[in-house]
Amino acid sequence: MNSKPKKRLSIAELKSYPGFENYADEMAEETNASLEALSILFYEHYQKTIKEKEGLKVFSIKENEL
């Protein structure tokens, strides 16, 4: 697993992307919060999928041993 520290996108970084240049600071902060929440959801889903696949592998191996 990656032990790299988490870094949140700054307002200036967000505004450097096309389409976000004219965002007010408050809107940019809200957008960053939304992106962070979405990232967490994707990561949790990914972790759950990995665990389920590992469980299926173990189940498959045990089933083949019978």
Side-chain angles (χ1 to χ4, degrees):
M1 192 178 319
N2 192 352
S3 61
K4 223 175 164 181
K6 296 174 187 87
K7 180 183 172 286
R8 193 171 194 209
L9 193 66
S10 73
I11 290 172
E13 288 172 316
L14 178 67
K15 288 182 174 186
S16 72
Y17 288 97
F20 297 99
E21 306 94 323
N22 298 320
Y23 270 35
D25 286 353
E26 185 177 315
M27 186 63 179
E29 185 59 39
E30 289 176 19
T31 301
N32 276 349
S34 296
L35 289 170
E36 183 177 30
L38 185 60
S39 296
I40 291 168
L41 286 173
F42 280 134
Y43 181 76
E44 289 174 350
H45 176 70
Y46 172 74
Q47 292 298 314
K48 182 180 176 186
T49 302
I50 295 297
K51 286 181 182 178
E52 288 174 353
K53 284 183 179 179
E54 288 173 356
L56 288 175
K57 277 185 186 176
V58 170
F59 179 75
S60 177
I61 290 170
K62 286 182 180 179
E63 192 176 73
N64 288 335
E65 290 175 354
L66 296 176

